[in-house]
Amino acid sequence: MAGIRALQRRIKRIEEAEKPRPSPFTLLFGSFDAWVEREVLPGIESGALAADDMIAVVAALRAWERDGTWSGAYAR
């Protein structure tokens, strides 16, 4: 019986490892869009962030969010 429980725990760990992990934006702000609305847009409006540069940064980070690049960060 103990062998069955150990097997169940191993299967659970394997299944958990295969699930996609949330990005840092999801963990900290709830979603990527929430981060843009709370941090980026006010920063651009106040002049603290350059609008041209932030468009490129947000586009790159959004691509990472979409394609799962953040999952590689957890492997390290």
Side-chain angles (χ1 to χ4, degrees):
M1 193 60 121
I4 292 173
R5 285 190 211 116
L7 181 60
Q8 288 173 330
R9 285 192 301 270
R10 287 183 65 197
I11 290 171
K12 184 177 180 180
R13 279 195 305 266
I14 291 169
E15 289 174 346
E16 290 294 322
E18 291 177 357
K19 288 183 182 177
R21 295 200 172 144
S23 73
F25 298 103
T26 303
L27 294 173
L28 295 172
F29 298 99
S31 72
F32 188 85
D33 292 331
W35 171 71
V36 171
E37 289 179 16
R38 280 194 261 169
E39 300 294 327
V40 177
L41 294 178
I44 290 172
E45 290 172 358
S46 72
L49 300 173
D52 296 343
D53 292 339
M54 286 311 296
I55 290 172
V57 169
V58 168
L61 292 174
R62 190 176 297 278
W64 288 5
E65 180 86 5
R66 186 177 44 254
D67 69 12
T69 300
W70 295 114
S71 296
Y74 290 103
R76 296 175 190 207

